[in-house]
Each structure stands twice: as structure tokens, then as C-alpha cells.
Amino acid sequence: MKAAVVKANCELTVENIEMPRIENADDVLVKVKFSGVCGSDIPRIFHEGTHFYPIVLGHEFSGFVVETGEAVAEFKQGDQVTCAPLLPCFQCEECKKGFYSLCKNYTFVGSRRNGSNAEYVCVNKHNLVKVDTDSNPLHNSFIEPITVGLHAINLANGCINKNVIIIGAGTIGLLAAQAAKALGANTVSVIDINQEKLKLATELGVDKTFNSIELKPEEIYSALNDNRFDQLILETAGVPKTVELAIQIAGPRAQIGLVGTLHSDLTLNQKVFGQILRKELMILGSWMNYSKPWPGSEWIDAAKLVNKGGIKIDQLIHSVNEIEDYIEEVKKLDGKPMNGKIVLKFN
């Protein structure tokens, strides 16, 4: 079968590799339909971020069940599925409490084992979530990144009647903004430095946008004055400056959910740190996207939002490509972030 293989750092190629097969009783063989590039895949391709070489990446996918192991009763041939890529041990104390994202003995599809950038992938039944067979498989490949924002929203005890502020208008941020709007937020605002992304955020239905290059933090805070209470701020950019910005623009007793992963050190001066205390801010760390009962309400809610058209997805896609063109599109990134999702398509 064809696969997009990372053979070495910066070396992504099309390879013909052996098709996976059912080896364990709880295995499921899936024919992949669409597989998206995650922002976390970019360092794996370009910055020596993989656990091993060669590797087939891919954990945001949709597909159809082809075959099941003898212990699989939850899925049958022809079912459409999407991927919950984490496989926790289910035995550690964290797992027993339902803190699956915190499991220390996990494996992960498309990172610690081969993933969905291939015509077929064989995974444990716990890695799959069934979706409506007649639903849009391209849109279903976005369910996993939608759950990232939903997990943070759940940790904050929901967003109904809250004034939600998203910092970072990448795919995760714009999906989270739409989800918050659909789930009953009072207002949704988006902050970024890219005016084109802010324009897209407006097209996707957010109430306000702010360019943090053009506006000082105190100006953004002032503009949010009428909605300064009951704030939920989600930092999705993963940059030290935007973490600092989240604190500076926060209203009284705001919740700040830290979603983005930092790749450089964060240093807060005394004045900024003091705002955490003086405004009595609540800081939430959000890691991955799972809760109990496995894999969590995030996945049920994300699938419903996609099925009902509650989230606009097509506007977030840069390109949908068969494998040869997909390789070329990814290579063009040259280690830089995507401007819209690159999706691999298999016929």
C-alpha cells in the first residue's frame, strides 16, 4: 500500500509498504479516507521530533472499517470512524480516575506508532470513534482537533453565557471559537497578529476581532470592557507573548485556559504576574482531549457539531491532495506553520 513516510529528518517520501493486518483480538483494520496534518506533525517532519525513523505520521483521520478482531463487537465492516489517537493503559491511578490525558504509560497513533498517512491503518478498538456512516468524511477528519478546544472548555465547566476570548487564530483556535459560539457563549472574540486570519474569524461568525500588533493590551482590555466579567480566555497560539497577553487582557476573575504548547521559555515580569493575583485569575492547564467515560463527551459533542453543520470547516482547509501532491504541499512548509489545514486524500 502507499504511505507518506518520514524516512529521516526533512525527508518525506511516498513509499510502498506492507499493508497492516489484524494481529490482536481487539484490532480494527481501517481504510483511510482523509488524514490531516497536525501542527505537532511539523516538528516531527522538519525538526527531528519523531520517536523513531522511518515513521508514518497521521492521527487526525476518518475512514471505514474493513476488518475486525474476534474481540471487537463495537465496530463492523463498513462503519465510518474517526480517530481518538491516544491509547492509555487504563490501569494506572490517573486512568482509574478518568484522567486519561495524564496517563504515563500510553501509546499514540501517528507518533509512538505508525499512523494514518497510509491507505490502511490497524489500531486498537479504543482508538476509534464511530460516526454516522452517511456523514462527511472530510469534515469528520476534523473531529480530533475540535476536541482539543472542547476539552479546555469542559475543564472550565463549559462556556454557556460566558464571554469567550480565543488568542491565536490557527485551526485549533478557530475551531474552538466556533464551538464556543455553538455551545452557548455570550460573546466570542478572537485575537491574532494576522489580519487575514482575523478576517476569516469574522466570516466564521465571531463577534469581535483584535490585532495585537496594532493594539496595546490595555486597548484590547478597554475594548472588552462591556464583557469583562465571566470571561473564558483560551490561549491556543503557544507563544510566551500570548500567554502574557492573556493575563493582561483578562477581566476580574477570568478563567485562562492554556492550550498551546510553548517551545521557548516564559518569563513574566513582576507587574504582569501581579495581575494574576490582583484580578484573582484562574489558570487552567489543558492537555490533549480525553475524559471519562472513554474517550469523553468532547468526542460526542464534536461529532454532533460537525454533523449538524455547527462548525464551518471548508474555510479552514488549505488543500486536499492525493499522496504525491500532498508530499509536495507539506515540503513547501519547510518547517513553518500551516496557513490552513493540509489534508491527504485516499480514493
Side-chain angles (χ1 to χ4, degrees), residues 27-335:
D27 281 348
V28 180
L29 181 66
V30 177
K31 174 74 174 75
V32 177
K33 184 64 178 177
F34 294 100
S35 182
V37 176
C38 176
S40 65
D41 290 331
I42 295 173
R44 293 174 182 138
I45 297 168
F46 295 101
H47 305 302
E48 299 181 336
T50 66
H51 291 283
F52 56 88
Y53 297 109
I55 186 170
V56 177
L57 300 177
H59 62 269
E60 301 177 4
F61 75 86
S62 66
F64 293 86
V65 172
V66 174
E67 185 183 353
T68 61
E70 59 185 19
V72 178
E74 301 90 333
F75 302 96
K76 65 182 185 302
Q77 185 178 8
D79 284 344
Q80 188 180 173
V81 292
T82 189
C83 180
L86 180 77
L87 183 61
C89 71
F90 296 109
Q91 300 299 319
C92 67
E93 291 304 312
E94 284 80 1
C95 283
K96 289 178 181 178
K97 289 182 177 292
F99 304 158
Y100 303 114
S101 295
L102 310 185
C103 177
K104 300 298 188 296
N105 307 309
Y106 69 91
T107 187
F108 199 91
V109 174
S111 169
R112 295 171 183 261
R113 49 147 299 171
N114 280 345
S116 59
N117 291 345
E119 292 181 274
Y120 294 87
V121 62
C122 188
V123 297
N124 187 285
K125 64 182 182 180
H126 292 294
N127 286 124
L128 297 177
V129 177
K130 189 185 299 185
V131 295
D132 290 349
T133 301
D134 59 353
S135 58
N136 188 322
L138 175 58
H139 293 175
N140 289 333
S141 68
F142 279 74
I143 287 176
E144 194 275 343
I146 293 170
T147 63
V148 174
L150 290 180
H151 185 65
I153 290 171
N154 287 352
L155 289 172
N157 295 315
C159 62
I160 294 176
N161 297 325
K162 292 181 182 179
N163 297 303
V164 176
I165 302 166
I166 307 294
I167 302 180
T171 301
I172 295 294
L174 292 177
L175 289 171
Q178 293 185 79
K181 192 79 173 175
L183 293 173
N186 180 43
T187 63
V188 178
S189 302
V190 172
I191 301 172
D192 203 277
I193 61 174
N194 185 315
Q195 198 59 42
E196 286 300 312
K197 290 183 177 180
L198 293 175
K199 180 183 176 183
L200 175 57
T202 299
E203 293 171 359
L204 295 174
V206 307
D207 299 292
K208 295 181 180 180
T209 62
F210 302 94
N211 190 316
S212 54
I213 285 184
E214 298 176 355
L215 296 171
K216 297 178 181 178
E218 56 267 28
E219 291 175 314
I220 297 175
Y221 176 84
S222 178
L224 291 168
N225 187 61
D226 290 341
N227 304 116
R228 69 185 183 277
F229 295 104
D230 300 312
Q231 285 183 349
L232 170 58
I233 301 171
L234 298 184
E235 194 290 314
T236 68
V239 178
K241 190 68 176 176
T242 52
V243 175
E244 182 178 347
L245 179 64
I247 297 167
Q248 293 170 313
I249 68 167
R253 293 201 171 186
Q255 297 171 297
I256 298 178
L258 301 178
V259 179
T261 301
L262 296 184
H263 297 287
S264 56
D265 291 340
L266 169 66
T267 302
L268 298 178
N269 64 40
Q270 181 182 5
K271 184 177 180 180
V272 173
F273 177 80
Q275 291 186 51
I276 300 175
L277 311 183
R278 290 176 180 271
K279 292 192 264 189
E280 295 189 341
L281 303 180
M282 290 164 273
I283 310 294
L284 299 168
S286 182
W287 185 244
M288 292 198 280
N289 39 355
Y290 306 92
S291 60
K292 63 179 181 181
W294 174 264
S297 61
E298 299 92 328
W299 295 83
I300 297 170
D301 292 341
K304 287 180 179 177
L305 286 170
V306 169
N307 259 341
K308 294 178 179 178
I311 294 183
K312 298 175 183 177
I313 289 174
D314 292 336
Q315 294 92 322
L316 303 178
I317 298 174
H318 174 269
S319 61
V320 179
N321 316 271
E322 295 188 12
I323 193 164
E324 289 81 6
D325 292 334
Y326 165 85
I327 297 287
E328 295 306 311
E329 286 292 326
V330 174
K331 285 181 177 179
K332 289 177 186 177
L333 294 173
D334 195 27

